[in-house]
Amino acid sequence: MDEGDGMTEEHLTADLLEQLRAAARPEDYLLQGEAIDRELSDYLNELRKDRGMKRSAVVRESTVNETFVYDIFKGKSLPGRDNAIKLALALHCSLIETQRILRLAGVSELWPKRSRDAVIIWCIERGFTLAQCDDELYRLGERTLVNPEDGSE
């Protein structure tokens, strides 16, 4: 089942969980080849190539430090949560792709029960740019992604 990311076919997590639960032993599930050990850098590079973007365009659209972005794409560094979201917005990711980036970065996924996350999800679902998303966050009194007032990321 393709989740709209235009890349390799992957099954929904719920389906995989059901297969794992039904397996008599963990190795029975693992032998099916559904488990993947994907690195964030590999996934970001797939997304970038799928969209025909250069890394320089991702740097420009994400506003993340150029050296840091190149290190992330080379697998030398992992972004924090806000930087991962900025990269996802720069890559014009769907919500599923954004959540996957966050998981691979080792940070918490967007959660609609958090007001700031809800705004970001709403923006992603509508294909907003980083600047448009920040405008919505600011308008609603939430911490922006670019130049947040508390100095994080």
Side-chain angles (χ1 to χ4, degrees):
M1 167 175 287
D2 184 59
E3 295 181 5
D5 62 9
M7 293 180 293
T8 58
E9 185 174 310
E10 293 184 21
H11 292 94
L12 291 174
T13 303
D15 296 339
L16 296 178
L17 184 57
E18 202 52 47
Q19 290 175 18
L20 179 57
R21 285 180 175 154
R25 303 172 306 156
E27 53 269 33
D28 294 339
Y29 169 78
L30 294 173
L31 288 172
Q32 294 176 27
E34 294 289 355
I36 55 171
D37 293 320
R38 181 183 283 174
E39 297 294 324
L40 176 63
S41 58
D42 294 335
Y43 187 55
L44 290 173
N45 278 303
E46 286 177 33
L47 289 168
R48 182 185 59 75
K49 289 174 186 170
D50 187 55
R51 282 139 173 86
M53 294 179 74
K54 294 184 178 186
R55 275 187 291 226
S56 59
V58 176
V59 168
R60 186 175 52 256
E61 290 190 39
S62 71
T63 73
V64 177
N65 174 279
E66 180 178 10
T67 303
F68 189 44
V69 171
Y70 281 95
D71 284 348
I72 293 166
F73 273 88
K74 289 178 185 172
K76 293 180 180 180
S77 298
L78 288 174
R81 190 170 190 263
D82 279 4
N83 280 336
I85 294 167
K86 289 193 276 188
L87 289 170
L89 287 165
L91 287 162
H92 314 285
C93 289
S94 67
L95 182 58
I96 290 170
E97 293 165 337
T98 301
Q99 299 289 49
R100 191 171 291 147
I101 288 170
L102 292 167
R103 276 193 308 274
L104 291 171
V107 297
S108 63
E109 294 180 29
L110 293 165
W111 192 36
K113 287 192 172 190
R114 268 195 210 124
S115 57
R116 181 175 187 253
D117 285 4
V119 174
I120 294 169
I121 290 168
W122 186 88
C123 291
I124 290 169
E125 286 292 311
R126 282 154 182 78
F128 278 25
T129 64
L130 174 57
Q132 291 170 317
C133 184
D134 258 7
D135 286 347
E136 285 299 309
L137 289 167
Y138 182 80
R139 184 178 71 79
L140 295 168
E142 297 292 341
R143 184 170 45 87
T144 59
L145 290 161
V146 179
N147 300 321
E149 289 127 29
D150 69 356
S152 70
E153 302 224 15

